[in-house]
Amino acid sequence: GAVVSQHPSRVICKSGTSVKIECRSLDFQATTMFWYRQFPKQSLMLMATSNEGSKATYEQGVEKDKFLINHASLTLSTLTVTSAHPEDSSFYICSATKGRADEQFFGPGTRLTVL
Amino acid sequence: DAKTTQPNSMESNEEEPVHLPCNHSTISGTDYIHWYRQLPSQGPEYVIHGLTSNVNNRMASLAIAEDRKSSTLILHRATLRDAAVYYCILTRYNFNKFYFGSGTKLNVKP
């Protein structure tokens, strides 16, 4: 199989705090991981591409200082939402590839609510 | 990136076949066609993908037009568990970013 997990599944925080979301590939080494954001009743929006040991590549319009991505190993990528505000409340989803360019394995998502 | 166009929603009866269309008139020769589906509050799930030829797997079939400007995902016998948003996505080989469109919300009636 190819299982991707995310932690936490749900987080509520106060405005101004930072939140870290973990994405792990449980049974394979992920050469590339991706981070998406999804607002209610909308589609997924690609935020950034993360390769192990190198800086993440952010999509146009995504603030790299706001959404810090670290991909320290072939099985773990983290997304930190810094100084979160209510407008950052969203469903954050990660995915990972095994090396083949034609399939992504998605995590279950993390629902962030900023009060 | 080539864009895809899908109907916003479709409805099907349980145990009947469902044909979900996708238009991608600006597709390039190296673009793969992927289908994923997403249940509420879950991450997307792989359904099927193809390049030029029709493809079959245990979940579905993918019919690709001869000019590759459109494709159809076929669920042979819809079940209630197939109710989801289905996304048709194009990706260029070795450039595996996914840009999701709006997808088709499939409702399956018992």
Side-chain angles (χ1 to χ4, degrees), chain B residues 3-68:
Chain B
K3 294 197 180 298
T4 61
T5 304
Q6 299 176 253
N8 288 334
S9 63
M10 291 185 65
E11 200 164 74
S12 170
N13 293 318
E14 196 175 12
E15 298 194 2
E16 290 186 357
V18 182
H19 290 234
L20 298 167
C22 180
N23 286 322
H24 29 78
S25 58
T26 60
I27 191 171
S28 75
T30 55
D31 285 343
Y32 280 75
I33 303 161
H34 299 257
W35 284 83
Y36 281 71
R37 69 181 185 182
Q38 185 182 26
L39 277 66
S41 297
Q42 294 187 28
E45 173 190 29
Y46 171 80
V47 179
I48 201 166
H49 78 280
L51 183 61
T52 56
S53 303
N54 294 344
V55 184
N56 299 296
N57 66 21
R58 63 176 180 81
M59 289 182 69
S61 295
L62 175 60
I64 302 173
E66 196 169 332
D67 63 5
R68 300 212 322 129

Side-chain angles (χ1 to χ4, degrees), chain A residues 38 43 59 101-102 104 106-107, chain B residues 34 36 38 96-97 99 101:
Chain A
Q38 185 175 32
S43 185
E59 294 296 306
D102 56 355
Q104 290 186 23
F106 286 83
Chain B
H34 299 257
Y36 281 71
Q38 185 182 26
N96 53 359
K97 292 185 179 183
Y99 294 100

